[in-house]
Each structure stands twice: as C-alpha cells, then as structure tokens.
Amino acid sequence: MNRYMESIELLKKELTITTSDVLEIARDFQKHLERALEGQGSSLMILPSFLGNPSGEERGTYLAFDFGGTNIRFMQVELQGGKYEINQMFTFPLRDPDKGYDYTAETCTGEELFDFIARQIALLVREKRDYSLGHTFSFPCVAKGLNQVALIKWSKEFKTSGVEGKDLGLLLREALKRQGLSNVIPRAVINDTTGILLSAAYLNSSFEIGSIIGTGHNTCYLEREITWSKEPVIIVLESGNYNGMPMTRFDILLDQKSDKPQSGLLEKMVSGRYLGELVQIIINEMAQATELFRGWEGWAVWGTEAFSAREISQILKDRSPELTYIAGLLKDKYQTGGSSYKERQALRDICQTLMTRSARLVAATYLGILAHMDPQLRRVHAIAVDGSIFQEMPGYSDIVNNTMSEVLGEKAPKVPIGFIKDGSGVGAAIAAAMTEHK
Ligand code: BGC
C-alpha cells in the first residue's frame, strides 16, 4: 500500500465509531445526564424550559423569530389546533460581508443586534393591534421563567458584545420600544430544540425528543420524573457541550484553535460550523505526510470558514466518474491550481468519514437519552430533528437511523425519527400561545 492509501485507511480507522463504541458512548451519556439531573458536575446542562408538550389545542396568530445559526428567520404563524400555517416568513443573514455588516462580531453590541431584530419585526406588524411574540435563542441560556432568560455564554463562534449574562427579553423589549413597537408583546424565549419538539408534538403527541444538527448541535427531551415539577418538563441538555466523547488529535487541534477551548466539544465534532474546519485540519496534516494536497495549505486556514458544511454536501453529491464537480469547486473557489483524481477522491473520503462519524455520535447520544427515559422502550418516543446537516448532507439521516437500529434491533420502530422543517420558529409561536392558554 502506498503512503496515501495508508494514511487514508489509518484516518478512517481513527474516525470510525463501531457498534461497541456507540453502546459505550450511549451508556456514558446516560450516566452524565443522570449525574446532571442530580445536580452533580457534568458537561451536560439541565436547562428547564418551563414548558411541557402542548395540548394541540392552542390557537391564534403569533409572531415568531428564530435566532441562532447563520440566519435569522422571522415569521407569522397561525395555529389552527393540531395544525398550523406559516403566513409570512423571511430570512436575513446575520453576516453579510458585501453589505458590510456582521452582527455576530465582537465589534457589534447587543443593542445594535436587537435593534436590527426589531427593525425586521416591524416588517411583520401591519395592523394596529397587539401581537404576541415568541422567539428562539439558540445558545445556552438559563431561564427563571418563560420570558426571563439570560445568555450563559455564546457558542458557534458568536462574539457580539454585551449579551452574555444579559436578560434577552429585556434587550428585546427595549429595542422594540426604540422602534415604537409597543404593541408587540414578547411572551416566551426558548431554545431552538424546544421549538422543534413543541412544533412536532403539536402535530403528534408521541414526539418527546427535539434535536438540531445544523450550524450547532443540541438536544432536549421531555422529562416525566423530576422532583420539582408534577407536570412533565422539557429539559434542554446543551448536548453539544458534552465532553465524554473519544477525541482524536484533529478534534484536539480544532478545539485549541477555537474561540472557546474546552467548551462545546461534541458540537465541534458533529456540527456544520466545525465540520469544514476539521476537513481543513486533516488536509493540512496529509499535505505534510503524503504526496497529496501539496500547495493546498493556503486555503485551509482556520476561522475563514472557507470550507463549509455546504461544500461538504456538494462534494458528497458528486458521483461523476472523474469527480468533475469537486475539480471545479477546488479550482474556482479555492484556487488550488488544479487537483488530481486521487486528491479529489481523498477529499471525498475525508468528508464521508467525518459525516458518518457525526451521524453515529449523535445517534449514540439519542440512545443515551432513551435509555434514561424508558430503558425497556415500553412506549413510543418519536424524535424530531431539524438542521442543515440532518436535512442536506446526503445519507446523514439514514446513518442516524441505521445506527439506532443496530442497537435497538426490533424495537427500532418505537423510536421514529421525523424531520421537522422550520420547527423552531413555529415552536416559538406555540410557546407564546401556551403562555396565554395556561
Ligand atoms: C447552542 C444550543 C443550540 C444549538 C443548535 C448550540 O451552539 O449552544 O443552545 O440549541 O447550537 O442551534
């Protein structure tokens, strides 16, 4: 075997998550979860949402926005009792280098960010009446109530200043006031995973787990046995922060280069914000160890996000005999000065291996949560998932499903996994409605 084949094979071995790894990870994850529930130290957080699942009877028209990834999405949602319609929806990027703004940068303040949000909300407010609004804030937050929620710390490399530790409801209310929107009444701030679960459970009450695999990663679930509540409560785990996974040297290097080392370790192994960076790190290493990727080092620069999860999906979709799409992408976008077939194939192998690892790790965490919720799997616990990686990465959802089946065997049908599009924004509208129906 030549050096190139050897290093690809070695790489695959290092990044493969076997069935016994899945079982071990699931067991450890369950232990960490139960430790966290008992208030003992754990990298998982127990962040109660102050909500259980909706009854499905909530009705009315609500404003919602979904804040958390690359874009911010605004919508007006009509809840019709067990079904809903999105009447209006538009999306704004939080960063636009062409227009010269970046609301995720340290140079931007919380006031500027929330003024930007309030200006977009104004576009949805056409009538002279009161509007109830719910919104997601997809970062680790501690809540004292549904509308009293503070950001613990930024994740996903967000850096906007003056938001960590602040009451998000207050920041929004003040910004709405500055825009003259006193008829918009914020009712609830929830995590995006809670939003996904609420919108799925609104349609079908068997949904009990909500998860995102997009720019970031996180999961929440419906906890039925918690000492301080008679009613079931949705708990957000911030599972992207889980630190019990076996890390490779690539993960360690990525973590060291990141904005918040030692934080969000699972998220850095599985989510869209980081998968491209991992590919770059691996290419850099291979360029030094093999005859491949010589001269490519230039494009593989940390933090430029030059190579994103979108490119990984496109690379995985290239089934042409000569991998011509990949060749074009490398030439046009990265100016690598041409690529050999072997390099293109190696690049696709690296992407496939990382994507598979991501899906299997995420599936293992779902298995850990299920083992806590219902070890014998006596009931159905459907999982609602959204996010660009789950939705767009070719084969990703199949790998998650197959990994679950490897472990659950004939009980796998008790854990159906549903893709819920735009669920987090709709869920924020449902949360706002739930505050009025209490
Ligand atoms: C955040 C979570 C969020 C997830 C998905 C993570 O970076 O910490 O709160 O749910 O991304 O958006």
Side-chain angles (χ1 to χ4, degrees):
M1 223 190 302
N2 63 25
R3 277 173 69 200
Y4 143 71
M5 286 301 286
E6 265 172 35
S7 43
I8 285 281
E9 287 313 312
L10 199 68
L11 185 79
K12 283 191 188 161
K13 222 166 158 192
E14 274 181 280
L15 294 168
T16 293
I17 306 294
T18 62
T19 309
S20 72
D21 294 334
V22 171
L23 284 166
E24 200 179 320
I25 292 168
R27 260 195 310 269
D28 285 348
F29 193 87
Q30 179 191 357
K31 266 192 226 146
H32 277 251
L33 164 53
E34 289 170 357
R35 220 186 281 156
L37 280 168
E38 284 163 12
Q40 297 174 29
S42 167
S43 55
L44 291 173
M45 300 182 197
I46 298 295
L47 304 172
S49 302
F50 291 91
L51 285 171
N53 272 359
S55 66
E57 290 306 312
E58 298 78 5
R59 287 167 199 272
T61 302
Y62 294 86
L63 299 184
F65 72 87
D66 182 12
F67 178 98
T70 340
N71 295 312
I72 178 160
R73 180 162 298 168
F74 297 85
M75 53 181 91
Q76 190 175 63
V77 185
E78 195 184 323
L79 302 176
Q80 300 164 337
K83 57 188 174 95
Y84 56 76
E85 230 168 74
I86 301 176
N87 292 338
Q88 288 183 62
M89 179 158 85
F90 53 88
T91 300
F92 277 94
L94 281 164
R95 271 179 277 180
D96 190 337
D98 295 337
K99 295 202 173 117
Y101 71 83
D102 182 355
Y103 288 103
T104 70
E106 205 170 355
T107 46
C108 174
T109 66
E111 278 74 24
E112 284 164 341
L113 170 64
F114 278 87
D115 279 342
F116 166 75
I117 293 173
R119 283 200 297 278
Q120 314 314 321
I121 294 175
L123 302 176
L124 287 171
V125 176
R126 303 243 168 83
E127 293 161 29
K128 276 208 172 322
R129 63 175 174 91
D130 285 351
Y131 288 83
S132 286
L133 173 132
H135 75 97
T136 62
F137 202 78
S138 312
F139 298 90
C141 287
V142 59
K144 288 196 190 142
L146 248 184
N147 211 8
Q148 222 189 328
V149 171
L151 172 65
I152 301 172
K153 59 176 180 181
W154 284 121
S155 56
K156 297 177 275 207
E157 310 293 306
F158 272 58
K159 298 188 188 69
T160 322
S161 49
V163 189
E164 285 181 334
K166 293 275 171 63
D167 181 332
L168 303 164
L170 191 67
L171 281 171
L172 178 63
R173 280 195 298 280
E174 286 172 350
L176 289 168
K177 216 194 269 168
R178 287 194 289 276
Q179 291 298 314
L181 292 173
S182 51
N183 56 335
V184 175
I185 303 146
R187 301 272 185 205
V189 187
I190 56 170
N191 186 262
D192 50 355
T193 54
T194 307
I196 303 280
L197 177 53
L198 291 179
S199 57
Y202 186 69
L203 305 175
N204 175 338
S205 61
S206 67
F207 280 96
E208 296 194 344
I209 295 178
S211 186
I212 302 264
I213 319 163
T215 309
H217 169 60
N218 192 8
T219 302
C220 72
Y221 75 103
L222 189 68
E223 174 62 64
R224 293 178 181 278
E225 286 175 30
I226 198 131
T227 44
W228 42 264
S229 170
K230 287 198 192 101
E231 300 295 321
V233 175
I234 297 173
I235 302 276
V236 178
L237 290 175
E238 283 300 329
S239 50
N241 201 49
Y242 182 60
N243 68 5
M245 294 292 177
M247 285 169 85
T248 64
R249 59 185 187 284
F250 310 116
D251 303 305
I252 294 169
L253 194 61
L254 179 136
D255 180 50
Q256 285 164 352
K257 286 173 175 228
S258 70
D259 194 41
K260 287 200 165 77
Q262 289 302 313
S263 175
L265 292 183
L266 174 59
E267 180 162 273
K268 287 172 186 161
M269 297 168 88
V270 302
S271 82
R273 174 61 187 81
Y274 299 99
L275 280 178
E277 307 276 11
L278 275 175
V279 177
Q280 293 177 201
I281 287 174
I282 292 173
I283 292 217
N284 271 344
E285 188 189 277
M286 286 187 84
Q288 281 154 30
T290 71
E291 71 279 18
L292 294 190
F293 308 125
R294 292 276 157 82
W296 284 37
E297 298 89 333
W299 68 268
V301 175
W302 164 264
T304 53
E305 283 178 77
F307 188 68
S308 73
R310 170 161 306 150
E311 274 88 45
I312 299 184
S313 311
Q314 289 168 340
I315 286 168
L316 293 177
K317 280 183 196 147
D318 188 354
R319 297 270 155 211
S320 62
E322 288 301 313
L323 302 176
T324 30
Y325 173 80
I326 301 178
L329 179 86
L330 290 168
K331 193 155 170 274
D332 299 344
K333 194 158 176 185
Y334 304 118
Q335 294 157 2
T336 51
S339 56
S340 68
Y341 176 71
K342 254 194 202 167
E343 284 170 331
R344 299 197 286 277
Q345 204 182 26
L347 178 61
R348 210 180 62 187
D349 271 357
I350 294 169
C351 292
Q352 180 69 43
T353 307
L354 284 171
M355 186 273 275
T356 305
R357 182 180 74 148
S358 161
R360 289 179 70 78
L361 289 177
V362 167
T365 67
Y366 295 164
L367 290 163
I369 298 172
L370 287 162
H372 163 73
M373 291 172 87
D374 180 4
Q376 307 302 323
L377 275 191
R378 292 186 204 280
R379 292 183 301 111
V380 170
H381 308 272
I383 307 180
V385 190
D386 194 4
S388 52
I389 298 292
F390 189 79
Q391 182 190 1
E392 287 162 26
M393 206 59 95
Y396 194 97
S397 57
D398 289 343
I399 300 172
V400 174
N401 270 302
N402 294 342
T403 309
M404 307 277 294
S405 299
E406 259 167 56
V407 172
L408 299 176
E410 61 188 22
K411 290 197 169 169
K414 292 248 171 123
V415 191
I417 301 184
F419 167 62
I420 304 289
K421 192 163 163 45
D422 301 323
S424 46
V426 172
I430 296 170
M434 285 169 82
T435 64
E436 293 175 2
H437 283 69
K438 269 191 169 174

